[in-house]
Amino acid sequence: MRASKIYLHTLKEVSSEIEKTSEKLLIRGSMMRKVGGSYAYLPLGNRVIEKINKIAKKVFDEAGIQEFTMLSPASEEIYTQLVKKDLKSYKQLPFGFYQVQTGCRNLENKKGSIHFSIATFDKDLEGLNQHFEDLHTIYTEIFEKCGLPTVQVKDIHNAEEILSGKFVGFSDEGKEEIALCKECGYKATRKRARSIVDLPKQDAGMFPLEEVYTPNVKTIEELNQFLDVAEERLMKCLLLKGEDQFVAAFIRGDRDLNLTKLEDGLNLEPMTLTFAEAEDVERITGAKTGFAGPIGIKDVTIVVDDEVVQMKNAIAGGNKTDYHIKNVNYERDFKADYILDIKTIKEGDKCPNCNGHISIERANHLGEIKKLKTDYSQKIGATFIDAFGKEQPVFMGKYTLDITKVLSGIADAHHDESGIIWPMRVAPFHTIVTIVNAKKEEQVLLGEKIYKTLLDADIEVLLDDRNERAGAKFKDADLLGIPVSITVGKRAAEGIVEFKLRDQEEKQEITYDEAIGNVVDLF
Ligand SMILES: [Zn+2]
C-alpha cells in the first residue's frame, strides 16, 4: 500500500486524559482513537487485530475447536440451548467451538472489546479437565506467537480443584492485582490469594481482660491514636448481612477484609454478603456502631481470620458504647464458628507454598478459562445418552480471549520512546520503504522498484511516497513500528539504500538488491 493513499494520521502528542502508555502509542501511531467513551481501531490498528485473530483462529482450528457465528450475544444459556438441539449421544462428544465478537460483552463493560468466546462440551469431568488443560496450551501458544509475555494465574477457591484461571500480562499500568511469590512461582489474583500466618512468638502470658473507656472512638485509626498502640495489636470486627444470617468477621486492625475469600470460605454465592445497617449492628452488639467485639456477641456466625487466632492480648470492641476491651485472647475469651483466611493479601505476606515473600504486581487481564461443569446443561436440559443408555447432562467449559487487550499488551511489551516496535507476525506491514524526497525522480523510481519487487515476493510493504519532509517521514516510520525499514535517499542513483531494523540502532548502507534479499531472508 501507499502511504499517500491510506488513512494515516500520526500525532505528536495525545490529550492528557490518555494515561496508559499502550493507548498513547496506539493513538499516536494512527492505529486507534478514543471516541464516544470507547475505542475505534483505525485501518492500521485493524491490520494488527486481523493478524492476531488469524494467529488465534489457526491455533483453535488446529485443536479442533471450530469457528461459528451467532447473532445473539454469547451467553452460557444460549450456548447450552444451541447444543441441546443436536446433542444426542456420547459419540458426538467431545467438541468445542468459538466465535469472534465485537462490541460490548455485557452492560458493565461499556468500553467494548473484540474477543473470542469459546465453549467446550464433554461427556464427563475427565474430558472437561482435559479441555481445560488444552485451552491453557492453546492460549499460551497464541500469546507466544504474538510475542506477548504472559502468565497464567489460577483462581484458587476453597475447593481443592482449580475451577478457573486467568491469563495476564504483567504491566505497571495494569488494572489487575496479582500476588506473586518469586521464590516458588505461586501466583493468584489478589482477590483470592492466600498467605500463611507466621507471627513472631510472643513470650508474654495472657493478661486479664480490662475494660477501657474510649468515648466516641469508633474507627481503627481513632483507636490507634487514642490508645497509641500499633494497628497490629487491634482487632477489627466487621458485621455483615447474608441472606439468612449475620456474620461477624474478625481481622487484625491493619488488615482489609477480603469479601470474596469470606464468601468462598462460607460456601456462599458471590456478592451475597453486604455490610450490616447501623440498626442491626446496635441490636447485635447492644452498642452504637464502632464498638463491636468478639466477647458476648450473639446470634451471628463468627468468622475469625487465622491471624487473629495467634494475636495475644489484643484490643477489641467491648460491645458496649464508648468501651473497648484490652487483653483479648482467642480461645480463652471467645471462639469462632469458622477460622478462615479472610484477609486481603499484602506486600510482604508469606507465600502459602514456600513461606517466601509475596509481592503485589500489576497486570492486564487477557483472557480467562472456566469450568462450568453441568451448571447450565442441567438447568436447560442439554443431555446425551451415555454408553450405558443413561441420560447425562453435558459437561461444559467457557473461555474468553480478549484480542483488544492482547493488542495493547503487545504495544506495552514492545516499544521505545519513539513508538511501537511490532513483532513481525503481528506488524501492520513487514517493511516500510521510504522515499526521502518524492520530488527526486531517481529516488521515486528506485523506491517504486523495491516496492513492486517486495510485493511480488508476497511481502507486506508500505511505500511512503508522500510529499512530506524527510524528518516527518522518519518519525512516522518509528511511530508505525514496522519491523524493517528501507530508506531510498541521496544515493539512489548508485542503487544504494539504507537498511534498518526497527528494534536495532544500526543502519546499513547497501545495494537495493541486498536490501530486498535481507527482507526476503527474514521469512
Ligand atoms: Zn512461594
Side-chain angles (χ1 to χ4, degrees), residues 36-59:
S38 183
Y39 300 98
Y41 293 93
L42 302 181
L44 282 171
N46 208 59
R47 285 180 72 91
V48 182
I49 286 175
E50 284 303 317
K51 293 204 170 175
I52 301 170
N53 280 346
K54 205 172 147 193
I55 289 170
K57 285 182 180 186
K58 195 163 178 232
V59 178

mmCIF file of all heavy atoms in Angstrom, residues 36-59:
data_model
loop_
_atom_site.group_PDB
_atom_site.id
_atom_site.type_symbol
_atom_site.label_atom_id
_atom_site.label_comp_id
_atom_site.label_asym_id
_atom_site.label_seq_id
_atom_site.Cartn_x
_atom_site.Cartn_y
_atom_site.Cartn_z
ATOM 1 N N GLY A 36 -16.458 8.515 21.786
ATOM 2 C CA GLY A 36 -17.728 8.128 22.405
ATOM 3 C C GLY A 36 -17.547 7.234 23.615
ATOM 4 O O GLY A 36 -18.326 6.311 23.820
ATOM 5 N N GLY A 37 -16.507 7.474 24.403
ATOM 6 C CA GLY A 37 -16.277 6.671 25.601
ATOM 7 C C GLY A 37 -15.736 5.289 25.297
ATOM 8 O O GLY A 37 -15.573 4.462 26.182
ATOM 9 N N SER A 38 -15.467 5.027 24.030
ATOM 10 C CA SER A 38 -14.957 3.705 23.663
ATOM 11 C C SER A 38 -13.792 3.870 22.685
ATOM 12 O O SER A 38 -13.223 4.946 22.582
ATOM 13 C CB SER A 38 -16.093 2.889 23.055
ATOM 14 O OG SER A 38 -15.641 1.595 22.768
ATOM 15 N N TYR A 39 -13.477 2.813 21.976
ATOM 16 C CA TYR A 39 -12.320 2.852 21.092
ATOM 17 C C TYR A 39 -12.702 2.546 19.657
ATOM 18 O O TYR A 39 -13.601 1.755 19.398
ATOM 19 C CB TYR A 39 -11.274 1.828 21.538
ATOM 20 C CG TYR A 39 -10.776 2.082 22.927
ATOM 21 C CD1 TYR A 39 -11.303 1.390 24.009
ATOM 22 C CD2 TYR A 39 -9.792 3.037 23.163
ATOM 23 C CE1 TYR A 39 -10.859 1.641 25.299
ATOM 24 C CE2 TYR A 39 -9.342 3.291 24.443
ATOM 25 C CZ TYR A 39 -9.879 2.592 25.505
ATOM 26 O OH TYR A 39 -9.439 2.848 26.777
ATOM 27 N N ALA A 40 -11.984 3.188 18.740
ATOM 28 C CA ALA A 40 -12.108 2.843 17.327
ATOM 29 C C ALA A 40 -10.727 2.404 16.872
ATOM 30 O O ALA A 40 -9.733 3.059 17.198
ATOM 31 C CB ALA A 40 -12.570 4.053 16.533
ATOM 32 N N TYR A 41 -10.670 1.299 16.171
ATOM 33 C CA TYR A 41 -9.397 0.847 15.625
ATOM 34 C C TYR A 41 -9.332 1.277 14.173
ATOM 35 O O TYR A 41 -10.149 0.861 13.357
ATOM 36 C CB TYR A 41 -9.238 -0.667 15.810
ATOM 37 C CG TYR A 41 -9.110 -0.983 17.279
ATOM 38 C CD1 TYR A 41 -10.221 -1.316 18.046
ATOM 39 C CD2 TYR A 41 -7.884 -0.835 17.917
ATOM 40 C CE1 TYR A 41 -10.109 -1.522 19.415
ATOM 41 C CE2 TYR A 41 -7.761 -1.040 19.280
ATOM 42 C CZ TYR A 41 -8.878 -1.383 20.022
ATOM 43 O OH TYR A 41 -8.762 -1.569 21.371
ATOM 44 N N LEU A 42 -8.379 2.140 13.869
ATOM 45 C CA LEU A 42 -8.220 2.676 12.522
ATOM 46 C C LEU A 42 -7.627 1.587 11.625
ATOM 47 O O LEU A 42 -7.165 0.558 12.128
ATOM 48 C CB LEU A 42 -7.308 3.909 12.580
ATOM 49 C CG LEU A 42 -7.805 5.029 13.510
ATOM 50 C CD1 LEU A 42 -6.849 6.208 13.482
ATOM 51 C CD2 LEU A 42 -9.208 5.474 13.120
ATOM 52 N N PRO A 43 -7.624 1.809 10.308
ATOM 53 C CA PRO A 43 -7.181 0.732 9.405
ATOM 54 C C PRO A 43 -5.839 0.091 9.779
ATOM 55 O O PRO A 43 -5.708 -1.133 9.708
ATOM 56 C CB PRO A 43 -7.105 1.436 8.054
ATOM 57 C CG PRO A 43 -8.180 2.473 8.142
ATOM 58 C CD PRO A 43 -8.155 2.959 9.560
ATOM 59 N N LEU A 44 -4.867 0.891 10.227
ATOM 60 C CA LEU A 44 -3.570 0.288 10.569
ATOM 61 C C LEU A 44 -3.680 -0.615 11.794
ATOM 62 O O LEU A 44 -3.124 -1.713 11.829
ATOM 63 C CB LEU A 44 -2.532 1.384 10.830
ATOM 64 C CG LEU A 44 -1.938 2.052 9.592
ATOM 65 C CD1 LEU A 44 -1.098 3.255 10.003
ATOM 66 C CD2 LEU A 44 -1.088 1.062 8.806
ATOM 67 N N GLY A 45 -4.410 -0.152 12.809
ATOM 68 C CA GLY A 45 -4.617 -0.958 14.006
ATOM 69 C C GLY A 45 -5.426 -2.197 13.674
ATOM 70 O O GLY A 45 -5.199 -3.286 14.217
ATOM 71 N N ASN A 46 -6.365 -2.014 12.757
ATOM 72 C CA ASN A 46 -7.199 -3.131 12.349
ATOM 73 C C ASN A 46 -6.384 -4.242 11.684
ATOM 74 O O ASN A 46 -6.682 -5.424 11.839
ATOM 75 C CB ASN A 46 -8.271 -2.622 11.383
ATOM 76 C CG ASN A 46 -9.501 -3.468 11.444
ATOM 77 O OD1 ASN A 46 -10.101 -3.591 12.503
ATOM 78 N ND2 ASN A 46 -9.838 -4.094 10.341
ATOM 79 N N ARG A 47 -5.350 -3.831 10.967
ATOM 80 C CA ARG A 47 -4.480 -4.842 10.342
ATOM 81 C C ARG A 47 -3.816 -5.697 11.415
ATOM 82 O O ARG A 47 -3.670 -6.908 11.255
ATOM 83 C CB ARG A 47 -3.396 -4.164 9.489
ATOM 84 C CG ARG A 47 -3.905 -3.612 8.172
ATOM 85 C CD ARG A 47 -2.778 -2.951 7.392
ATOM 86 N NE ARG A 47 -1.827 -3.909 6.828
ATOM 87 C CZ ARG A 47 -1.935 -4.430 5.612
ATOM 88 N NH1 ARG A 47 -2.943 -4.105 4.830
ATOM 89 N NH2 ARG A 47 -1.030 -5.291 5.172
ATOM 90 N N VAL A 48 -3.408 -5.054 12.514
ATOM 91 C CA VAL A 48 -2.769 -5.810 13.598
ATOM 92 C C VAL A 48 -3.793 -6.760 14.231
ATOM 93 O O VAL A 48 -3.509 -7.937 14.473
ATOM 94 C CB VAL A 48 -2.173 -4.863 14.663
ATOM 95 C CG1 VAL A 48 -1.479 -5.668 15.755
ATOM 96 C CG2 VAL A 48 -1.199 -3.878 14.031
ATOM 97 N N ILE A 49 -4.993 -6.233 14.466
ATOM 98 C CA ILE A 49 -6.040 -7.076 15.068
ATOM 99 C C ILE A 49 -6.338 -8.282 14.182
ATOM 100 O O ILE A 49 -6.459 -9.412 14.660
ATOM 101 C CB ILE A 49 -7.308 -6.233 15.311
ATOM 102 C CG1 ILE A 49 -7.053 -5.316 16.507
ATOM 103 C CG2 ILE A 49 -8.532 -7.108 15.543
ATOM 104 C CD1 ILE A 49 -8.149 -4.344 16.789
ATOM 105 N N GLU A 50 -6.424 -8.035 12.869
ATOM 106 C CA GLU A 50 -6.683 -9.141 11.945
ATOM 107 C C GLU A 50 -5.596 -10.207 12.050
ATOM 108 O O GLU A 50 -5.860 -11.401 11.957
ATOM 109 C CB GLU A 50 -6.765 -8.619 10.504
ATOM 110 C CG GLU A 50 -8.083 -7.918 10.192
ATOM 111 C CD GLU A 50 -9.288 -8.811 10.453
ATOM 112 O OE1 GLU A 50 -9.226 -10.000 10.083
ATOM 113 O OE2 GLU A 50 -10.270 -8.339 11.054
ATOM 114 N N LYS A 51 -4.360 -9.749 12.248
ATOM 115 C CA LYS A 51 -3.261 -10.719 12.347
ATOM 116 C C LYS A 51 -3.348 -11.531 13.634
ATOM 117 O O LYS A 51 -3.107 -12.736 13.625
ATOM 118 C CB LYS A 51 -1.925 -9.994 12.263
ATOM 119 C CG LYS A 51 -1.740 -9.401 10.890
ATOM 120 C CD LYS A 51 -0.312 -9.192 10.555
ATOM 121 C CE LYS A 51 -0.239 -8.844 9.078
ATOM 122 N NZ LYS A 51 1.107 -8.499 8.666
ATOM 123 N N ILE A 52 -3.676 -10.851 14.717
ATOM 124 C CA ILE A 52 -3.814 -11.584 15.987
ATOM 125 C C ILE A 52 -4.964 -12.589 15.851
ATOM 126 O O ILE A 52 -4.843 -13.749 16.242
ATOM 127 C CB ILE A 52 -4.069 -10.612 17.160
ATOM 128 C CG1 ILE A 52 -2.926 -9.604 17.288
ATOM 129 C CG2 ILE A 52 -4.235 -11.384 18.463
ATOM 130 C CD1 ILE A 52 -3.212 -8.460 18.250
ATOM 131 N N ASN A 53 -6.069 -12.128 15.252
ATOM 132 C CA ASN A 53 -7.211 -13.031 15.035
ATOM 133 C C ASN A 53 -6.800 -14.251 14.218
ATOM 134 O O ASN A 53 -7.185 -15.376 14.521
ATOM 135 C CB ASN A 53 -8.325 -12.303 14.274
ATOM 136 C CG ASN A 53 -9.154 -11.435 15.188
ATOM 137 O OD1 ASN A 53 -9.070 -11.557 16.410
ATOM 138 N ND2 ASN A 53 -9.943 -10.546 14.615
ATOM 139 N N LYS A 54 -6.022 -13.996 13.188
ATOM 140 C CA LYS A 54 -5.620 -15.079 12.296
ATOM 141 C C LYS A 54 -4.765 -16.105 13.048
ATOM 142 O O LYS A 54 -4.958 -17.318 12.908
ATOM 143 C CB LYS A 54 -4.829 -14.482 11.125
ATOM 144 C CG LYS A 54 -4.856 -15.325 9.883
ATOM 145 C CD LYS A 54 -4.214 -14.568 8.738
ATOM 146 C CE LYS A 54 -3.519 -15.560 7.818
ATOM 147 N NZ LYS A 54 -2.624 -14.905 6.877
ATOM 148 N N ILE A 55 -3.834 -15.588 13.850
ATOM 149 C CA ILE A 55 -2.984 -16.484 14.649
ATOM 150 C C ILE A 55 -3.862 -17.321 15.576
ATOM 151 O O ILE A 55 -3.747 -18.547 15.643
ATOM 152 C CB ILE A 55 -1.960 -15.665 15.480
ATOM 153 C CG1 ILE A 55 -0.901 -15.056 14.559
ATOM 154 C CG2 ILE A 55 -1.319 -16.536 16.565
ATOM 155 C CD1 ILE A 55 0.019 -14.048 15.238
ATOM 156 N N ALA A 56 -4.784 -16.643 16.267
ATOM 157 C CA ALA A 56 -5.631 -17.347 17.241
ATOM 158 C C ALA A 56 -6.518 -18.375 16.546
ATOM 159 O O ALA A 56 -6.620 -19.523 16.984
ATOM 160 C CB ALA A 56 -6.473 -16.338 18.014
ATOM 161 N N LYS A 57 -7.131 -17.980 15.426
ATOM 162 C CA LYS A 57 -8.028 -18.902 14.716
ATOM 163 C C LYS A 57 -7.288 -20.151 14.274
ATOM 164 O O LYS A 57 -7.800 -21.263 14.359
ATOM 165 C CB LYS A 57 -8.637 -18.208 13.494
ATOM 166 C CG LYS A 57 -9.721 -17.217 13.853
ATOM 167 C CD LYS A 57 -10.323 -16.588 12.616
ATOM 168 C CE LYS A 57 -11.410 -15.604 13.010
ATOM 169 N NZ LYS A 57 -12.120 -15.062 11.855
ATOM 170 N N LYS A 58 -6.071 -19.948 13.806
ATOM 171 C CA LYS A 58 -5.302 -21.088 13.321
ATOM 172 C C LYS A 58 -5.031 -22.072 14.465
ATOM 173 O O LYS A 58 -5.159 -23.290 14.294
ATOM 174 C CB LYS A 58 -3.985 -20.596 12.705
ATOM 175 C CG LYS A 58 -3.311 -21.644 11.880
ATOM 176 C CD LYS A 58 -2.261 -21.073 10.945
ATOM 177 C CE LYS A 58 -1.608 -22.227 10.202
ATOM 178 N NZ LYS A 58 -0.173 -22.211 10.292
ATOM 179 N N VAL A 59 -4.670 -21.528 15.617
ATOM 180 C CA VAL A 59 -4.371 -22.403 16.757
ATOM 181 C C VAL A 59 -5.644 -23.136 17.215
ATOM 182 O O VAL A 59 -5.621 -24.336 17.484
ATOM 183 C CB VAL A 59 -3.735 -21.606 17.920
ATOM 184 C CG1 VAL A 59 -3.464 -22.508 19.108
ATOM 185 C CG2 VAL A 59 -2.441 -20.933 17.469
#
